[in-house]
């Protein structure tokens, strides 16, 4: 597995995978594509948000958008692994890579109805061997969300 930061040279790869993510979530969010057949994005890579692409055998199989709140406080804003490689541990490995390389306080939110995502994040954090707290709260953008918070510093 190789993880790279999104730059202009690989932005198209990131955006292409992000469309798959948006399409998959549309069953929950109710979003439909615009007139060009593309989904509008919820998180753009600007200011304090950066993107990562996960490659396996030189193929892009996942993306993440990370919001950096402070030097040691982060949030997973978007996270996607293509369905054909799920259940093989790659998503957990990708998440663990992120937490090892960006150590500090983390928060992750899942929108109501994204039950598989909640199960995934619980498993990923537990296998990272970090205690975490979880609660349900009202997000100003998403409405009801499940949120996990933990510290990735080892």
């Amino acid at each position: 597995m190789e993880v790279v930061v999104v730059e202009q040279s690989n932005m198209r790869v990131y955006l292409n995978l992000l469309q798959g993510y948006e399409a998959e979530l549309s069953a929950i969010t109710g979003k439909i594509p615009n007139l060009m057949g593309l989904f509008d994005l919820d998180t753009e890579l600007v200011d304090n948000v950066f993107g990562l692409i996960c490659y396996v055998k030189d193929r892009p199989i996942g993306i993440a958008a990370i919001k950096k709140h402070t030097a040691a406080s982060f949030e997973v804003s978007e996270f996607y692994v293509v369905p054909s490689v799920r259940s093989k541990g790659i998503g957990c490995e990708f998440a663990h890579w992120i937490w090892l390389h960006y150590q500090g306080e983390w928060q992750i939110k899942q929108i109501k109805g994204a039950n598989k995502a909640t199960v995934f994040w619980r498993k990923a954090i537990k296998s990272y061997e970090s205690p975490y707290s979880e609660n349900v709260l009202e997000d100003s953008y998403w409405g009801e969300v499940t949120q996990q918070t933990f510290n990735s510093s080892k």
Side-chain angles (χ1 to χ4, degrees):
M1 182 182 81
E2 179 186 15
V3 178
V4 299
V5 174
V6 175
E7 300 174 340
Q8 275 310 117
S9 62
N10 59 7
M11 180 67 77
R12 179 54 43 206
V13 173
Y14 173 84
L15 292 173
N16 287 345
L17 286 175
L18 193 55
Q19 285 297 312
Y21 170 76
E22 291 287 354
E24 188 171 331
L25 278 181
S26 69
I28 298 169
T29 64
K31 290 170 70 174
I32 59 172
N34 62 26
L35 294 175
M36 296 300 297
L38 299 173
F39 288 92
D40 293 332
L41 305 180
D42 296 305
T43 305
E44 294 191 40
L45 304 183
V46 296
D47 302 326
N48 61 334
V49 180
F50 63 95
L52 300 168
I53 304 172
C54 178
Y55 288 85
V56 172
K57 297 181 182 176
D58 296 324
R59 297 291 180 151
I61 56 87
I63 54 110
I66 308 299
K67 181 182 274 188
K68 185 174 183 178
H69 295 288
T70 68
S73 176
F74 306 91
E75 179 178 350
V76 175
S77 296
E78 313 283 1
F79 188 89
Y80 175 71
V81 173
V82 296
S84 62
V85 299
R86 291 183 190 160
S87 301
K88 297 180 182 179
I90 294 169
C92 280
E93 186 178 351
F94 183 24
H96 292 182
W97 186 99
I98 294 168
W99 300 331
L100 281 169
H101 287 81
Y102 302 96
Q103 294 198 358
E105 297 292 326
W106 280 90
Q107 60 177 294
I108 307 164
K109 298 175 188 171
Q110 303 89 55
I111 61 175
K112 185 176 181 177
N115 301 332
K116 289 181 181 180
T118 301
V119 169
F120 166 79
W121 286 114
R122 288 174 180 155
K123 178 182 173 185
I125 298 167
K126 184 176 180 182
S127 66
Y128 190 73
E129 298 180 357
S130 182
Y132 70 96
S133 64
E134 180 176 294
N135 58 11
V136 175
L137 55 94
E138 192 69 22
D139 183 85
S140 60
Y141 186 81
W142 290 111
E144 185 179 304
V145 298
T146 300
Q147 178 184 40
Q148 297 83 22
T149 57
F150 69 101
N151 191 311
S152 71
S153 300
K154 290 209 172 204

